[in-house]
Amino acid sequence: MIRLKGGRIIDPANGRDEIGDLWIDDDRIIAPPPDARATETVDLDGCIVMAGAIDIHTHVAGGNVNTARLMLPQQHKAHARRPAKTALGQAGWSTVETGCRYAEMGFTTVIEPAIVPSHALHAHLEFADIPIVDKAGLAVLGNDAYLLQLLRDGQGPNAVADYVAYMLQATKALGVKCINAGGAAAFKNNVRAFSLDDEVPGYGLTSREIVLALQQAVSALGVPHPLHVHCNNLGLPGAVDTAIATMDAAGDVPMHFAHIQFYSYGAEGKRRFTSAAAKIAEAVNVRKNVTVDVGQVMFGQTVTVSCDTILQFGSRNSARPRKWSLWDGIGDGGGVVPYTYKATNAVNALQWAIGLELFLLIDDPWRVFFTTDHPNGAPFTAYPEIFALLMDRTLREEWMARLPKAALASTTLPSITREYSLNEIAVMTRAAPAKLLGLPDRGHLGPGALADIAVYRPQSDRAAMFRAAELVFKSGALVVRRGDVISQIAGRALTVEPPVSRQTAARVERFYDDTFGLSARLFAVPEHAVGTPEPFESVPCLST
């Protein structure tokens, strides 16, 4: 047993913010044993102790991510040194670095929010190569022909739920992501703009109908994570109205809204591009069934990756450097468009301010989640700088002083005095994500919790503190010491397994065979294919 002695334990899920001890037995946190002696005692006097952090929305695997790596090799270690072997299992210059960089910051679980079902096996092979952290994927549905035909033919909610269950099992996913519902299908018919109540040609279905059908299916199956929604009209002036209309459509049923910063845009003013963050924050504050992640923009080179083909096609002329990729696949599509956010650019500066507004104006840290939509708004390695900005009003003022004044004219950011506490950071990055994803043994430090623990040495420079954890334990094993990875243990992929009827499986098999001449089993993820022992961990569905 390991005793972590005398640290400041910040554990909002259990109402703790106090000096105390933690005990680890094997891979679990246990109650302090009355008479037991520790085999190892670690003195954490003066340190901050939190549960391992959880990133609910980060693009780390799949077709778009790999296209981006090929397109921009200078942005990762492949530019410096190519490995002798290039098989996926030897690709330490990409997947391995992802796990190590996350662990160094104290993260122990990450969620890839956009796995196209036909790419699921490849994504899980990448997951297996990402060390230390546990991973999970969200299966992308909402543009697939089988689902659209079910809805067009009026097969009813039970048939839709059975199909969603089948896809979750086949792809070994943790939940469902819906990206511009119907938009990729409409794009195949030369549609270049698609809103919530527009119809998919050939199906007579609106985007709204697709979203609500998937929301109902996810809820009926008891999948813990609510439907994860990428709304229509991302990035456009006036997108705030689309986001709020989608929130209204959700009714009282839980729904999660991805990278909401990219919808917090009004169309007023000379530039017809203004902050609508206050409007979005007000909408979130009064709708208790709604959760959001932010998608914070930071300045520098990045790359946008998305299965929203309409968005990426429209963004292609903004590519910096001047190259882009778009694919239009069966049932889905996607695009990769490099982009550079510049502090001297008024639009980019406004986007940066809008993200911070959202963090600071949404009242409840249990319903707003910390993301940059890596790599779309910024790489995940920028997280420590954002933590510092949220915790320090003076630091925000220093950043704003360097930005174009016109960019801040429509924002409330200069007047916001709120500063995040360590407890709120722990809620937003630990306790709340575990609750949202249905992971009761993570995100807290109570007895029975998985021993995913991050220890930080306090510094006045909060970014430096969060950039390099003093210690990180993953499932009870010490993996990081003083900001450096010392052990690359294997993590697991988290999945849900709602029951699937034999009839549904047979129908999907026939559809794939009749439509594509391929077996649906080719896209499934068998455990033996991953090549690591016990690669999956099942997360129970909720009782319904």
Side-chain angles (χ1 to χ4, degrees):
M1 286 187 291
I2 301 173
R3 179 189 181 191
L4 305 182
K5 177 185 175 184
R8 178 186 171 188
I9 298 172
I10 300 179
D11 182 15
N14 291 301
R16 294 187 71 186
D17 186 349
E18 61 188 8
I19 305 300
D21 295 353
L22 286 180
W23 287 76
I24 302 172
D25 187 11
D26 194 15
D27 66 343
R28 297 283 159 175
I29 296 172
I30 62 172
D35 301 316
R37 293 185 178 180
T39 56
E40 179 184 358
T41 297
V42 182
D43 187 354
L44 299 183
D45 181 45
C47 290
I48 294 165
V49 184
M50 297 182 180
I54 302 170
D55 191 344
I56 71 161
H57 189 116
T58 177
H59 297 282
V60 294
N64 282 331
V65 171
N66 283 291
T67 299
R69 288 171 177 152
L70 292 169
M71 186 180 293
L72 297 167
Q74 67 274 21
Q75 296 301 312
H76 60 85
K77 290 188 72 174
H79 183 62
R81 178 174 60 87
R82 189 171 183 83
K85 298 180 180 180
T86 56
L88 191 61
Q90 300 295 324
W93 40 272
S94 55
T95 50
V96 170
E97 288 296 314
T98 295
C100 291
R101 299 293 83 75
Y102 262 114
E104 288 168 359
M105 297 187 299
F107 282 78
T108 52
T109 304
V110 300
I111 310 300
E112 162 56 71
I115 298 298
V116 175
S118 59
H119 294 176
L121 177 56
H122 186 277
H124 277 284
L125 292 173
E126 286 190 88
F127 284 168
D129 286 340
I130 298 174
I132 305 173
V133 298
D134 290 330
K135 289 76 56 175
L138 304 183
V140 177
L141 300 176
N143 283 285
D144 38 318
Y146 189 90
L147 172 66
L148 298 184
Q149 288 186 23
L150 282 179
L151 295 173
R152 181 193 62 193
D153 298 342
Q155 292 297 307
N158 289 340
V160 174
D162 282 346
Y163 171 64
V164 171
Y166 174 90
M167 295 306 292
L168 286 169
Q169 280 218 16
T171 60
K172 293 290 194 295
L174 186 64
V176 176
K177 172 79 171 290
C178 184
I179 300 175
N180 192 2
F187 184 83
K188 303 176 195 304
N189 289 274
N190 294 318
V191 173
R192 298 296 179 258
F194 194 70
S195 292
L196 185 62
D197 291 307
D198 290 344
E199 290 189 354
V200 182
Y203 290 98
L205 296 167
T206 64
S207 188
R208 181 192 298 265
E209 290 171 316
I210 299 167
V211 170
L212 295 183
L214 286 171
Q215 179 197 34
Q216 183 178 6
V218 168
S219 177
L221 292 170
V223 176
H225 184 46
L227 181 66
H228 198 105
V229 177
H230 165 130
C231 299
N232 318 84
N233 297 323
L234 183 145
L236 299 180
V240 56
D241 297 327
T242 300
I244 292 177
T246 309
M247 292 180 191
D248 289 338
D252 296 326
V253 180
M255 185 177 286
H256 180 81
F257 289 78
H259 38 64
I260 199 69
Q261 181 274 138
F262 290 105
Y263 298 96
S264 301
Y265 305 153
E268 297 77 29
K270 183 174 66 174
R271 300 177 184 273
R272 299 194 62 78
F273 189 86
T274 54
S275 171
K279 190 174 181 180
I280 286 285
E282 181 182 7
V284 174
N285 286 338
V286 300
R287 292 167 175 82
K288 304 305 181 185
N289 63 305
V290 166
T291 54
V292 300
D293 61 74
V294 170
Q296 177 67 41
V297 160
M298 297 290 275
F299 304 117
Q301 177 67 53
T302 188
V303 56
T304 66
V305 298
S306 180
C307 293
D308 189 337
T309 47
I310 290 177
L311 163 71
Q312 295 300 72
F313 181 79
S315 301
R316 69 196 187 284
N317 292 327
S318 300
R320 297 291 185 277
R322 301 286 291 181
K323 50 185 175 179
W324 54 274
S325 172
L326 197 77
W327 63 274
D328 188 20
I330 297 171
D332 284 288
V336 177
V337 181
Y339 191 76
T340 303
Y341 292 101
K342 298 180 179 179
T344 55
N345 180 292
V347 169
N348 296 163
L350 182 56
Q351 291 174 296
W352 172 86
I354 287 170
L356 294 175
E357 279 187 285
L358 290 166
F359 277 120
L360 296 164
L361 292 174
I362 295 173
D363 297 331
D364 186 358
W366 288 87
R367 295 194 297 116
V368 57
F369 296 88
F370 188 88
T371 67
T372 59
D373 189 18
H374 165 81
N376 289 282
F380 68 81
T381 50
Y383 289 0
E385 282 69 31
I386 306 171
F387 290 146
L389 286 166
L390 294 176
M391 299 181 75
D392 190 340
R393 178 190 179 191
T394 301
L395 181 62
R396 295 198 297 269
E397 291 172 346
E398 292 172 0
W399 279 58
M400 285 187 283
R402 300 192 292 268
L403 301 179
K405 292 183 179 179
L408 301 174
S410 72
T411 79
T412 62
L413 186 61
S415 65
I416 299 175
T417 60
R418 179 182 177 186
E419 295 178 326
Y420 266 66
S421 66
L422 283 169
N423 190 276
E424 288 175 313
I425 293 291
V427 168
M428 185 172 56
T429 59
R430 274 90 172 164
K435 179 181 178 181
L436 183 74
L437 296 168
L439 306 176
D441 63 350
R442 297 167 197 248
H444 71 96
L445 298 172
L450 193 64
D452 288 0
I453 303 168
V455 178
Y456 300 98
R457 182 75 62 183
Q459 300 182 46
S460 58
D461 184 344
R462 294 295 196 188
M465 183 183 91
F466 283 110
R467 190 179 300 115
E470 180 74 9
L471 300 172
V472 177
F473 293 85
K474 176 70 188 85
S475 299
L478 183 62
V479 294
V480 171
R481 179 184 288 118
R482 297 188 186 91
D484 293 324
V485 170
I486 61 171
S487 177
Q488 293 186 19
I489 66 174
R492 291 183 178 180
L494 309 174
T495 73
V496 290
E497 298 178 346
V500 180
S501 70
R502 291 183 179 179
Q503 294 89 338
T504 295
R507 290 190 191 104
V508 175
E509 281 286 334
R510 280 199 304 274
F511 176 82
Y512 270 76
D513 188 53
D514 293 345
T515 306
F516 308 124
L518 296 170
S519 170
R521 296 175 187 176
L522 289 173
F523 305 113
V525 184
E527 184 167 326
H528 65 80
V530 177
T532 58
E534 299 181 344
F536 302 116
E537 178 182 332
S538 181
V539 175
C541 288
L542 305 173
S543 300
T544 56

